[in-house]
Amino acid sequence: MRLTCPNVRYLSIIETSRGARMAELLLFHHIQGLTPGVQDLAEDLRADGHVVHVPDLFDGRVFDSIEEGFDHARTTGFDTLRQRGAAAADGLGDELVYAGLSFGVTIAQRLAQTRPGARGAVLLHSCLPVSEFGSSWPESVPVQIHGMAGDEFFEEDLPAARELAESHAGAELFVYPGDQHLFTDRSLEAYDPEAAALVVQRVRSFLA
């Protein structure tokens, strides 16, 4: 199923010394940490010439399950982890695309809604109500949301995702068949090659 609006705004771009056009992204990993699969996703986008920053909020720790990752996050403190994410943006320019996977969406979405100069947002496997961070989604910030229809976690977020897609001309919501949560991470058992490839294709189009 695809819910989309046609009037997606073009992202502002960075011009390199060679004349290449690229976006600059800040990508936040999911609750299992900065896995090889998250790094592979970043490399896929770098291959197109984009600059992709991937901060490690877990200080090198990677977990075998969502539950173990949540236990670590609770012990560390969700607010502490989100502050680390916000700090990762401080040393970068304002004109960023903010992207996150699952837990990383809680940081990416906040920055996209509240940090001046945001040029876009990519929300993978999760979407919070816009009201968490403001009265409305910023008019100048296009956004893509991706998740699986049968994912128990994304099902809880789907009403918020639909509301954002229906209320903002620059929003796209893509819902894929299946029930896996972190299906874009090729290093996990949840990986779905067909759906993940489609996500990457759509994100590339969004950035281009």
Side-chain angles (χ1 to χ4, degrees):
M1 176 172 61
R2 172 179 175 175
L3 299 177
T4 182
C5 299
N7 299 322
V8 177
R9 298 163 184 79
Y10 290 104
L11 300 173
S12 68
I13 51 129
I14 299 169
E15 195 80 17
T16 69
S17 58
R18 295 182 179 181
R21 296 155 65 88
M22 65 180 69
E24 186 171 10
L25 292 83
L26 184 55
L27 173 65
F28 296 102
H29 62 72
H30 53 65
I31 199 68
Q32 289 181 236
L34 183 52
T35 62
V38 175
Q39 297 183 56
D40 287 342
L41 176 59
E43 287 301 322
D44 287 342
L45 301 178
R46 289 182 182 124
D48 291 340
H50 303 300
V51 176
V52 186
H53 309 278
V54 194
D56 185 351
L57 306 180
F58 287 180
D59 295 327
R61 300 194 65 180
V62 174
F63 299 92
D64 293 330
S65 69
I66 291 173
E67 292 74 19
E68 290 175 340
F70 268 113
D71 286 343
H72 172 72
R74 291 189 192 98
T75 300
T76 305
F78 287 102
D79 287 342
T80 297
L81 294 173
R82 292 182 182 118
Q83 288 168 6
R84 290 179 186 175
D90 289 343
L92 304 176
D94 293 333
E95 297 187 350
L96 298 172
V97 177
Y98 299 100
L101 298 91
S102 189
F103 167 73
V105 166
T106 66
I107 304 169
Q109 186 171 335
R110 178 190 291 272
L111 292 172
Q113 286 191 233
T114 63
R115 196 166 186 259
R119 287 296 177 262
V122 177
L123 312 180
L124 303 177
H125 318 300
S126 183
C127 180
L128 300 178
V130 170
S131 59
E132 289 281 333
F133 309 117
S135 58
S136 62
W137 188 268
E139 186 65 25
S140 62
V141 181
V143 55
Q144 274 193 351
I145 310 159
H146 302 263
M148 277 194 164
D151 168 20
E152 62 178 318
F153 299 104
F154 190 68
E155 280 181 333
E156 295 180 2
D157 296 348
L158 195 50
R162 285 178 172 149
E163 182 177 354
L164 175 52
E166 292 167 1
S167 65
H168 192 277
E172 293 180 300
L173 168 60
F174 298 100
V175 181
Y176 304 81
D179 60 4
Q180 297 300 313
H181 185 47
L182 300 174
F183 67 91
T184 59
D185 188 323
R186 68 195 66 171
S187 66
L188 302 179
E189 291 185 6
Y191 179 59
D192 184 313
E194 184 176 353
L198 193 51
V199 170
V200 172
Q201 176 185 325
R202 286 168 169 166
V203 172
R204 281 174 163 159
S205 295
F206 179 75
L207 298 176

